[in-house]
Amino acid sequence: MRIAVIGTGYVGLVAGTCFAESGNDVVCLDIDERKIERLQAGEIPIYEPGLEELLRRNVHDGRLRFTTSYAEAIPQAQVVFIAVGTPPGEDGSADLRYVLAAARSIAEHMRDYTVIVDKSTVPVGTAAKVAEAVRGVTELPFDVVSNPEFLKEGAAIDDFMKPDRVVIGATSQRAFEVMDELYAPFVRTGNPILRMDTASAELTKYAANAMLATRISFMNEVANICNRVGADVDLVRKGIGTDERIGSRFLFAGVGYGGSCFPKDVKAVVKTAAEHGYDFRILKAVEDVNETQKRLLYDLVVGHFGSDLSGRRFAVWGLAFKPNTDDMREAPAVVVIEALLAAGASVCAFDPEAVEEARAHHLGDRIDYADKPMDALKGADGLILVTEWNEFRRPDFEAVKQQLKTPVVFDGRNIYRRKTLEQLGFTYYGIGC
Ligand code: NAD
């Protein structure tokens, strides 16, 4: 099939590459000229494991190309995916400016019946708004489909190639059939393609992210009482996770969720509910708990060293909002580091992939960056672990101790064992254990 993907971010680039990999002819379009120039030169603007190899192969085989021109991408396309950003507006609702601008540009350049697919995460009612925007420009026939994306950054290729399910919201049989054909190669092992109306498809994506965020905030609250009653959240996690109704995944306590999706999607559901006269109390609490949790590491540091941190220096391991990505949107590391700087401390950070992103867009030169994890520790008063990259899991603790001025570890992801570290002479702080 001939496909166009609008927006070459984490979702668009992965989707475009994977559709090319399954034999389609794909054009990826972005209005960011610099991004497209880099892609045309064979450079990948984001870090996503496995993407580079797949993208190069498909470009080489002629199934994947990049452009900034709607006139080039749209006229031939049978299916056009909208995968642009939907950032939160000031009131928490999803900002649909980019989605609707893309819809109008598609309408201006389509030449025949086209299936226009909302891949971006959008509030209920957006498919109807997109249809209205297209109808305002062209009289050609089209269908608007809601096909939310469930990939996880850091495992995006695998998630896209082998989805647990594909959700398709549409109003016409023709559109359902086109989408079935397109996704057939990805569900050969029997995972379902779920057909539904567009409102249900749109809400499915928000409900999934809201449920996952709720599990995180719930476990963080359990961790916070563990601290107070002398229980170990890791044992409680195993204890409840073996109940099949609960399941063991996504139950880890930590320093709160971040990223481009959970924070904005939780806000957007609360806002959608309010617009329809409903107060979504649980999700308000989920958000509230998360905001407090993001500062917890800082509170632990202050509990240990006192509130005046001037002259203190801290090593931070992990800047990305989670491992295996360079994405720092809403990253807890930024909250912790900002709080440390405001209290007079200095920071040296290490991250395997996110340093460039941190320097360019989040922390600039206000902190130092190390090339290796051990280098960040030199002369620091303590180690603060924020992101659980695999390479942080088994450090040489004797070497860690030698580098640090005082042997204190603040483990924001519970990846170390208190007993082991205390035996080695460290003071250890975990999250509920
Ligand atoms: P992103 O910010 O990485 O990329 C969006 C891209 O769209 C940018 O490159 C931007 O330049 C481009 N763009 C904006 N307006 C455009 C226009 N009119 N025409 C062409 N290009 C345009 O965003 P992302 O993380 O890929 O997320 C995209 C959508 O997918 C969001 O709605 C998000 O909620 C959703 N989503 C994201 C993830 C994730 O893990 N990142 C997972 C599932 C769903």
Side-chain angles (χ1 to χ4, degrees):
M1 250 186 248
R2 293 184 306 278
I3 294 171
V5 180
I6 313 300
T8 58
Y10 289 87
V11 168
L13 200 52
V14 169
T17 304
C18 292
F19 282 132
E21 177 69 11
S22 61
N24 298 291
D25 179 52
V26 180
V27 188
C28 285
L29 179 148
D30 206 290
I31 46 169
D32 182 337
E33 287 178 10
R34 174 85 193 105
K35 216 177 224 185
I36 293 299
E37 269 166 28
R38 288 179 69 183
L39 283 162
Q40 285 169 338
E43 256 182 71
I44 317 291
I46 56 170
Y47 173 74
E48 183 58 49
L51 178 61
E52 188 165 349
E53 191 196 331
L54 211 60
L55 189 144
R56 291 234 162 99
R57 182 166 68 234
N58 282 285
V59 169
H60 176 267
D61 294 350
R63 288 187 296 268
L64 179 62
R65 56 190 200 283
F66 304 98
T67 183
T68 54
S69 160
Y70 276 89
E72 185 187 331
I74 302 301
Q76 314 298 325
Q78 298 158 283
V79 185
V80 182
F81 284 85
I82 301 179
V84 301
T86 47
E90 270 175 24
D91 61 356
S93 62
D95 184 347
L96 290 179
R97 212 176 334 161
Y98 307 104
V99 169
L100 295 175
R104 283 188 290 271
S105 303
I106 294 164
E108 278 162 19
H109 292 93
M110 60 193 247
R111 293 286 168 269
D112 203 346
Y113 170 77
T114 306
V115 178
I116 300 171
V117 187
D118 287 339
K119 187 54 129 174
S120 301
T121 302
V122 290
V124 175
T126 302
K129 285 185 184 160
V130 166
E132 200 183 300
V134 174
R135 232 178 276 119
V137 177
T138 179
E139 286 178 0
L140 287 168
F142 67 92
D143 274 304
V144 176
V145 168
S146 166
N147 167 222
E149 181 50 54
F150 298 95
L151 64 78
K152 300 182 288 295
E153 286 176 26
I157 300 288
D158 224 38
D159 287 346
F160 199 95
M161 297 301 269
K162 291 177 246 160
D164 292 339
R165 77 310 206 181
V166 175
V167 170
I168 307 291
T171 47
S172 89
Q173 189 59 24
R174 186 174 182 186
F176 276 127
E177 280 167 14
V178 169
M179 297 306 285
D180 275 357
E181 194 185 329
L182 193 57
Y183 274 106
F186 302 95
V187 292
R188 290 177 59 214
T189 48
N191 286 350
I193 295 180
L194 302 172
R195 289 185 176 195
M196 54 184 82
D197 59 276
T198 52
S200 301
E202 288 164 340
L203 193 56
T204 296
K205 172 64 192 178
Y206 278 118
N209 275 358
M211 168 69 97
L212 293 168
T214 303
R215 275 172 85 100
I216 294 176
S217 277
F218 178 83
M219 283 314 286
N220 285 337
E221 293 246 88
V222 172
N224 293 339
I225 48 164
C226 280
N227 266 342
R228 287 162 175 81
V229 302
D232 180 341
V233 73
D234 218 36
L235 299 176
V236 176
R237 173 180 65 79
K238 287 178 188 145
I240 64 171
T242 38
D243 185 325
E244 278 182 13
R245 292 168 303 175
I246 296 172
S248 59
R249 297 179 64 191
F250 239 77
L251 284 183
F252 291 88
V255 289
Y257 57 78
S260 66
C261 293
F262 289 178
K264 87 169 165 62
D265 293 351
V266 167
K267 277 192 181 66
V269 182
V270 170
K271 181 71 181 143
T272 299
E275 281 167 5
H276 290 80
Y278 188 76
D279 186 14
F280 209 139
R281 289 158 295 170
I282 287 184
L283 287 184
K284 283 181 172 169
V286 165
E287 202 182 357
D288 191 37
V289 168
N290 197 55
E291 286 310 304
T292 316
Q293 200 71 12
K294 278 176 151 184
R295 277 183 70 90
L296 187 62
L297 277 176
Y298 170 73
D299 294 340
L300 291 173
V301 170
V302 166
H304 185 88
F305 291 102
S307 56
D308 181 7
L309 297 177
S310 43
R312 301 263 179 210
R313 185 172 175 79
F314 295 95
V316 169
W317 280 3
L319 292 166
F321 85 93
K322 66 174 181 177
N324 298 319
T325 181
D326 58 351
D327 197 342
M328 282 193 62
R329 291 178 279 187
E330 306 271 340
V334 177
V335 175
V336 177
I337 291 172
E338 293 285 8
L340 292 170
L341 295 178
S346 65
V347 169
C348 184
F350 171 81
D351 188 285
E353 294 294 337
V355 166
E356 210 181 300
E357 175 66 15
R359 194 182 271 129
H361 301 295
H362 300 274
L363 297 159
D365 292 329
R366 291 183 295 140
I367 65 168
D368 298 319
Y369 301 94
D371 291 332
K372 296 190 191 119
M374 285 294 167
D375 292 349
L377 302 171
K378 277 182 198 145
D381 290 281
L383 163 62
I384 303 174
L385 181 124
V386 187
T387 317
E388 69 279 29
W389 285 89
N390 268 340
E391 68 185 85
F392 299 150
R393 286 182 185 271
R394 295 280 173 271
D396 175 349
F397 281 114
E398 283 303 338
V400 170
K401 207 165 138 192
Q402 270 171 19
Q403 299 288 343
L404 289 173
K405 222 158 40 179
T406 42
V408 192
V409 173
F410 301 90
D411 177 1
R413 300 290 177 182
N414 294 344
I415 63 172
Y416 306 130
R417 301 180 84 107
R418 169 184 294 281
K419 213 166 155 191
T420 315
L421 264 77
E422 286 181 348
Q423 276 166 0
L424 289 164
F426 286 90
T427 303
Y428 176 83
Y429 293 92
I431 308 292
C433 62

